[in-house]
Each structure stands twice: as C-alpha cells, then as structure tokens.
Amino acid sequence: MSTAEINWFTFENAPFAERSFSNAWLLALATYGVGDVVTTIALLYFVPEFTEANPVVRFAIESFGGGGFLALKLLVFYACLGIAIWAGLMAKDKLMFYGPPMVLAAFGALVTIFNLTLLF
C-alpha cells in the first residue's frame, strides 16, 4: 500500500478546532479517567464496607483485580474516542464530535462527586 492510498484522520479539512477537541478530551480524562478511578479505588480498597455497585465493573475487579478495572475504563474511553473521531471527522457531525467526551466528563464528574460523598 503506497502512502498516497493511506487516508489518515487529520484536522486539516475538519470543521472543528484541534484545540477544542483536545480540551474536551482533557476534561473527560480528568473527571472520568482520574477522578472516578482514584475515588473508586479509594472506596473499594480502603473502606471495607463498600463494594462496587456496577455489575460489569464488579465482575472485572473480581476476575482481574485493579487491572481489570483500568482495562474496562480504557476500553470505554477508547471506544468513545473512536466514535468521536470517526463520526465527527467522517460525517462532520458536531454532536458526535463533542458528545462522547462531554458525556464522559459529565458522568465522571457525577460519579467522582458521589464517591467523594461516600468517602467523607
């Protein structure tokens, strides 16, 4: 396959700004990736009275430990990233471009706040 045949995803012809894309995903990473992970680990490993309420996450933790939890988080994160890139750049759909990181950021913020209320 020659380099002329390869069709890479770039922001050159996209109707969206690269900076806003990066900022949206940094917010999702901060809330869903860091906030939720840290508070969930703190609850599950340092407060013995609590267990994971989500059955899928509970199964991943019981089967594979903390690595299973992180792998599941990465799977969701990368699936949403793939949807945003594919639908946003291919279909030039603004909702699908900014929707997945904003949904992850909102969900991560809510779960982080909920976990913090349980911790304190």
Side-chain angles (χ1 to χ4, degrees):
M1 180 179 281
S2 70
T3 37
E5 295 175 13
I6 298 174
N7 185 12
W8 294 98
F9 290 117
T10 64
F11 283 94
E12 290 174 11
N13 296 323
F16 314 110
E18 184 176 356
R19 185 174 188 96
S20 62
F21 182 77
S22 299
N23 289 341
W25 281 102
L26 281 173
L27 182 62
L29 179 65
T31 59
Y32 181 78
V34 176
D36 181 30
V37 169
V38 170
T39 57
T40 300
I41 288 172
L43 276 173
L44 295 179
Y45 290 101
F46 299 117
V47 184
E49 294 85 27
F50 291 109
T51 60
E52 176 59 48
N54 185 332
V56 176
V57 175
R58 187 176 339 126
F59 174 77
I61 292 171
E62 289 173 357
S63 300
F64 306 104
F69 174 62
L70 293 177
L72 190 61
K73 288 292 220 181
L74 282 173
L75 178 69
V76 170
F77 197 82
Y78 286 135
C80 289
L81 180 62
I83 290 169
I85 291 173
W86 177 75
L89 293 179
M90 294 294 289
K92 299 191 183 351
D93 184 0
K94 204 171 213 177
L95 176 65
M96 291 306 292
F97 191 69
Y98 292 111
M102 291 297 102
V103 168
L104 283 181
F107 179 75
L110 289 173
V111 173
T112 300
I113 290 168
F114 179 74
N115 286 347
L116 286 172
T117 59
L118 291 176
L119 276 172
F120 300 111

